[in-house]
Amino acid sequence: MFDFIKNLGKTPRKNPELEDAINKLNLNRSNNYKDAAQEDFRKLEAVFAKLCESGKLNEKQKSYYNDIVEDFRVKMDGYTHKDQKPYWT
């Protein structure tokens, strides 16, 4: 009867390749492995671009993952060991 409600706010079908890259990035960020997290972010961007160019993502997926990549772009700005101030100074 109310089948239209099921589709409201529903996330698009997840892409396993992108989800794996996101999970690795989150894991390295949570463990404060800044260099590894930066590398994982570059891999996430590359995988996302490759899938977009090859047409393997539909429009909902592109929008969903683009938001995630842009969110990580903001979070990863300045996320390096060289920008970290030592606690003893």
Side-chain angles (χ1 to χ4, degrees), residues 30-42:
S30 68
N31 287 323
N32 205 26
Y33 299 148
K34 295 180 179 181
D35 295 333
Q38 288 288 349
E39 179 64 29
D40 289 338
F41 177 64
R42 286 189 289 274

Side-chain angles (χ1 to χ4, degrees), residues 22-86:
I22 291 168
N23 289 337
K24 285 181 183 178
L25 175 54
N26 280 327
L27 180 65
N28 283 325
R29 283 189 74 243
S30 68
N31 287 323
N32 205 26
Y33 299 148
K34 295 180 179 181
D35 295 333
Q38 288 288 349
E39 179 64 29
D40 289 338
F41 177 64
R42 286 189 289 274
K43 286 180 184 175
L44 173 63
E45 286 183 310
V47 168
F48 178 65
K50 179 185 77 165
L51 291 173
C52 285
E53 288 173 7
S54 66
K56 293 186 178 181
L57 298 177
N58 62 34
E59 289 304 315
K60 277 186 174 180
Q61 289 173 321
K62 284 181 188 177
S63 174
Y64 175 75
Y65 286 114
N66 187 50
D67 291 346
I68 291 173
V69 169
E70 291 304 317
D71 185 47
F72 275 123
R73 188 180 316 282
V74 171
K75 289 178 183 176
M76 299 303 287
D77 185 38
Y79 190 74
T80 63
H81 287 294
K82 70 177 184 169
D83 293 336
Q84 184 177 357
K85 297 222 182 246

